[in-house]
PDB file of all heavy atoms in Angstrom:
ATOM      1  N   ARG A 166      -4.304  15.810 -49.214  1.00 95.00           N
ATOM      2  CA  ARG A 166      -5.563  16.427 -49.393  1.00 95.00           C
ATOM      3  C   ARG A 166      -6.075  16.391 -50.759  1.00 95.00           C
ATOM      4  O   ARG A 166      -7.173  15.918 -51.026  1.00 95.00           O
ATOM      5  CB  ARG A 166      -5.569  17.805 -48.821  1.00 95.00           C
ATOM      6  CG  ARG A 166      -7.000  18.498 -48.983  1.00 95.00           C
ATOM      7  CD  ARG A 166      -6.865  19.923 -48.677  1.00 95.00           C
ATOM      8  NE  ARG A 166      -7.080  20.101 -47.185  1.00 95.00           N
ATOM      9  CZ  ARG A 166      -7.160  21.269 -46.609  1.00 95.00           C
ATOM     10  NH1 ARG A 166      -6.887  22.421 -47.256  1.00 95.00           N
ATOM     11  NH2 ARG A 166      -7.428  21.465 -45.366  1.00 95.00           N
ATOM     12  N   ARG A 167      -5.252  16.850 -51.708  1.00 96.00           N
ATOM     13  CA  ARG A 167      -5.641  16.839 -53.120  1.00 96.00           C
ATOM     14  C   ARG A 167      -5.787  15.332 -53.551  1.00 96.00           C
ATOM     15  O   ARG A 167      -6.795  15.119 -54.368  1.00 96.00           O
ATOM     16  CB  ARG A 167      -4.587  17.516 -53.949  1.00 96.00           C
ATOM     17  CG  ARG A 167      -4.596  19.013 -53.917  1.00 96.00           C
ATOM     18  CD  ARG A 167      -3.770  19.657 -54.981  1.00 96.00           C
ATOM     19  NE  ARG A 167      -2.381  19.307 -54.846  1.00 96.00           N
ATOM     20  CZ  ARG A 167      -1.411  19.888 -54.042  1.00 96.00           C
ATOM     21  NH1 ARG A 167      -1.821  20.962 -53.398  1.00 96.00           N
ATOM     22  NH2 ARG A 167      -0.252  19.521 -54.040  1.00 96.00           N
ATOM     23  N   GLU A 168      -5.025  14.396 -53.157  1.00 96.00           N
ATOM     24  CA  GLU A 168      -5.178  13.032 -53.667  1.00 96.00           C
ATOM     25  C   GLU A 168      -6.469  12.429 -53.143  1.00 96.00           C
ATOM     26  O   GLU A 168      -7.249  11.812 -53.922  1.00 96.00           O
ATOM     27  CB  GLU A 168      -4.016  12.199 -53.069  1.00 96.00           C
ATOM     28  CG  GLU A 168      -4.035  10.753 -53.400  1.00 96.00           C
ATOM     29  CD  GLU A 168      -2.926   9.972 -52.790  1.00 96.00           C
ATOM     30  OE1 GLU A 168      -1.761  10.457 -52.978  1.00 96.00           O
ATOM     31  OE2 GLU A 168      -3.103   8.917 -52.133  1.00 96.00           O
ATOM     32  N   CYS A 169      -6.897  12.808 -51.961  1.00 97.00           N
ATOM     33  CA  CYS A 169      -8.189  12.341 -51.430  1.00 97.00           C
ATOM     34  C   CYS A 169      -9.369  12.964 -52.236  1.00 97.00           C
ATOM     35  O   CYS A 169     -10.295  12.356 -52.597  1.00 97.00           O
ATOM     36  CB  CYS A 169      -8.337  12.706 -49.954  1.00 97.00           C
ATOM     37  SG  CYS A 169      -7.252  11.656 -48.864  1.00 97.00           S
ATOM     38  N   GLU A 170      -9.163  14.184 -52.490  1.00 97.00           N
ATOM     39  CA  GLU A 170     -10.288  14.940 -53.180  1.00 97.00           C
ATOM     40  C   GLU A 170     -10.360  14.368 -54.601  1.00 97.00           C
ATOM     41  O   GLU A 170     -11.506  14.089 -55.052  1.00 97.00           O
ATOM     42  CB  GLU A 170      -9.805  16.357 -53.322  1.00 97.00           C
ATOM     43  CG  GLU A 170     -10.924  17.333 -53.982  1.00 97.00           C
ATOM     44  CD  GLU A 170     -10.588  18.735 -54.057  1.00 97.00           C
ATOM     45  OE1 GLU A 170     -10.667  19.370 -52.957  1.00 97.00           O
ATOM     46  OE2 GLU A 170     -10.012  19.163 -55.061  1.00 97.00           O
ATOM     47  N   THR A 171      -9.218  14.044 -55.217  1.00 97.00           N
ATOM     48  CA  THR A 171      -9.361  13.438 -56.612  1.00 97.00           C
ATOM     49  C   THR A 171     -10.003  12.022 -56.603  1.00 97.00           C
ATOM     50  O   THR A 171     -10.792  11.660 -57.499  1.00 97.00           O
ATOM     51  CB  THR A 171      -7.841  13.311 -57.215  1.00 97.00           C
ATOM     52  OG1 THR A 171      -7.307  14.571 -57.342  1.00 97.00           O
ATOM     53  CG2 THR A 171      -7.836  12.647 -58.572  1.00 97.00           C
ATOM     54  N   ASN A 172      -9.790  11.257 -55.572  1.00 97.00           N
ATOM     55  CA  ASN A 172     -10.218   9.902 -55.413  1.00 97.00           C
ATOM     56  C   ASN A 172     -11.532   9.874 -54.730  1.00 97.00           C
ATOM     57  O   ASN A 172     -11.979   8.792 -54.414  1.00 97.00           O
ATOM     58  CB  ASN A 172      -9.197   9.016 -54.919  1.00 97.00           C
ATOM     59  CG  ASN A 172      -8.012   8.856 -55.707  1.00 97.00           C
ATOM     60  OD1 ASN A 172      -8.181   8.531 -56.882  1.00 97.00           O
ATOM     61  ND2 ASN A 172      -6.797   9.041 -55.136  1.00 97.00           N
ATOM     62  N   LYS A 173     -12.098  11.023 -54.366  1.00 97.00           N
ATOM     63  CA  LYS A 173     -13.424  11.138 -53.651  1.00 97.00           C
ATOM     64  C   LYS A 173     -13.388  10.289 -52.359  1.00 97.00           C
ATOM     65  O   LYS A 173     -14.316   9.572 -51.976  1.00 97.00           O
ATOM     66  CB  LYS A 173     -14.492  10.676 -54.545  1.00 97.00           C
ATOM     67  CG  LYS A 173     -14.708  11.576 -55.785  1.00 97.00           C
ATOM     68  CD  LYS A 173     -15.974  11.354 -56.589  1.00 97.00           C
ATOM     69  CE  LYS A 173     -16.110  12.109 -57.798  1.00 97.00           C
ATOM     70  NZ  LYS A 173     -15.237  13.240 -58.205  1.00 97.00           N
ATOM     71  N   ILE A 174     -12.369  10.386 -51.627  1.00 98.00           N
ATOM     72  CA  ILE A 174     -12.145   9.868 -50.284  1.00 98.00           C
ATOM     73  C   ILE A 174     -12.258  11.018 -49.285  1.00 98.00           C
ATOM     74  O   ILE A 174     -11.539  12.001 -49.344  1.00 98.00           O
ATOM     75  CB  ILE A 174     -10.839   9.165 -50.085  1.00 98.00           C
ATOM     76  CG1 ILE A 174     -10.791   7.946 -51.121  1.00 98.00           C
ATOM     77  CG2 ILE A 174     -10.664   8.620 -48.729  1.00 98.00           C
ATOM     78  CD1 ILE A 174      -9.429   7.394 -51.270  1.00 98.00           C
ATOM     79  N   PRO A 175     -13.258  10.916 -48.229  1.00 98.00           N
ATOM     80  CA  PRO A 175     -13.215  11.899 -47.219  1.00 98.00           C
ATOM     81  C   PRO A 175     -11.922  12.073 -46.510  1.00 98.00           C
ATOM     82  O   PRO A 175     -11.197  11.243 -46.322  1.00 98.00           O
ATOM     83  CB  PRO A 175     -14.343  11.410 -46.269  1.00 98.00           C
ATOM     84  CG  PRO A 175     -15.147  10.444 -47.097  1.00 98.00           C
ATOM     85  CD  PRO A 175     -14.148   9.866 -47.972  1.00 98.00           C
ATOM     86  N   TYR A 176     -11.636  13.449 -46.242  1.00 98.00           N
ATOM     87  CA  TYR A 176     -10.317  13.823 -45.630  1.00 98.00           C
ATOM     88  C   TYR A 176     -10.572  14.757 -44.431  1.00 98.00           C
ATOM     89  O   TYR A 176     -11.383  15.657 -44.657  1.00 98.00           O
ATOM     90  CB  TYR A 176      -9.457  14.504 -46.698  1.00 98.00           C
ATOM     91  CG  TYR A 176      -8.258  15.207 -46.279  1.00 98.00           C
ATOM     92  CD1 TYR A 176      -7.019  14.491 -46.108  1.00 98.00           C
ATOM     93  CD2 TYR A 176      -8.288  16.493 -45.746  1.00 98.00           C
ATOM     94  CE1 TYR A 176      -5.924  15.139 -45.701  1.00 98.00           C
ATOM     95  CE2 TYR A 176      -7.124  17.067 -45.303  1.00 98.00           C
ATOM     96  CZ  TYR A 176      -5.970  16.387 -45.266  1.00 98.00           C
ATOM     97  OH  TYR A 176      -4.738  16.996 -44.800  1.00 98.00           O
ATOM     98  N   LEU A 177      -9.854  14.560 -43.363  1.00 97.00           N
ATOM     99  CA  LEU A 177      -9.906  15.440 -42.229  1.00 97.00           C
ATOM    100  C   LEU A 177      -8.553  15.795 -41.893  1.00 97.00           C
ATOM    101  O   LEU A 177      -7.591  14.981 -41.929  1.00 97.00           O
ATOM    102  CB  LEU A 177     -10.661  14.761 -41.082  1.00 97.00           C
ATOM    103  CG  LEU A 177     -12.157  14.640 -41.077  1.00 97.00           C
ATOM    104  CD1 LEU A 177     -12.622  13.780 -39.890  1.00 97.00           C
ATOM    105  CD2 LEU A 177     -12.872  15.914 -41.192  1.00 97.00           C
ATOM    106  N   ARG A 178      -8.490  17.025 -41.306  1.00 96.00           N
ATOM    107  CA  ARG A 178      -7.176  17.386 -40.860  1.00 96.00           C
ATOM    108  C   ARG A 178      -7.359  18.022 -39.455  1.00 96.00           C
ATOM    109  O   ARG A 178      -8.176  18.815 -39.126  1.00 96.00           O
ATOM    110  CB  ARG A 178      -6.643  18.515 -41.714  1.00 96.00           C
ATOM    111  CG  ARG A 178      -5.339  19.268 -41.306  1.00 96.00           C
ATOM    112  CD  ARG A 178      -4.910  20.253 -42.265  1.00 96.00           C
ATOM    113  NE  ARG A 178      -4.446  19.675 -43.550  1.00 96.00           N
ATOM    114  CZ  ARG A 178      -4.065  20.307 -44.518  1.00 96.00           C
ATOM    115  NH1 ARG A 178      -4.012  21.683 -44.657  1.00 96.00           N
ATOM    116  NH2 ARG A 178      -3.566  19.737 -45.628  1.00 96.00           N
ATOM    117  N   PHE A 179      -6.423  17.520 -38.489  1.00 96.00           N
ATOM    118  CA  PHE A 179      -6.457  18.039 -37.100  1.00 96.00           C
ATOM    119  C   PHE A 179      -5.101  18.657 -36.902  1.00 96.00           C
ATOM    120  O   PHE A 179      -4.019  18.048 -37.095  1.00 96.00           O
ATOM    121  CB  PHE A 179      -6.701  17.015 -36.046  1.00 96.00           C
ATOM    122  CG  PHE A 179      -8.055  16.388 -36.054  1.00 96.00           C
ATOM    123  CD1 PHE A 179      -8.232  15.180 -36.768  1.00 96.00           C
ATOM    124  CD2 PHE A 179      -9.131  17.043 -35.518  1.00 96.00           C
ATOM    125  CE1 PHE A 179      -9.592  14.662 -36.752  1.00 96.00           C
ATOM    126  CE2 PHE A 179     -10.369  16.519 -35.602  1.00 96.00           C
ATOM    127  CZ  PHE A 179     -10.558  15.235 -36.197  1.00 96.00           C
ATOM    128  N   TYR A 180      -5.039  20.004 -36.593  1.00 94.00           N
ATOM    129  CA  TYR A 180      -3.692  20.669 -36.285  1.00 94.00           C
ATOM    130  C   TYR A 180      -3.386  20.290 -34.866  1.00 94.00           C
ATOM    131  O   TYR A 180      -4.184  20.442 -33.904  1.00 94.00           O
ATOM    132  CB  TYR A 180      -3.935  22.210 -36.353  1.00 94.00           C
ATOM    133  CG  TYR A 180      -4.052  22.584 -37.790  1.00 94.00           C
ATOM    134  CD1 TYR A 180      -5.323  22.868 -38.355  1.00 94.00           C
ATOM    135  CD2 TYR A 180      -3.001  22.769 -38.706  1.00 94.00           C
ATOM    136  CE1 TYR A 180      -5.535  23.294 -39.625  1.00 94.00           C
ATOM    137  CE2 TYR A 180      -3.146  23.117 -40.043  1.00 94.00           C
ATOM    138  CZ  TYR A 180      -4.392  23.380 -40.462  1.00 94.00           C
ATOM    139  OH  TYR A 180      -4.507  23.870 -41.729  1.00 94.00           O
TER     140      TYR A 180
END
Side-chain angles (χ1 to χ4, degrees):
R166 176 189 271 182
R167 281 192 302 272
E168 181 182 309
C169 288
E170 186 178 277
T171 300
N172 294 311
K173 298 187 181 354
I174 299 167
Y176 170 90
L177 285 175
R178 176 179 286 179
F179 294 100
Y180 291 97

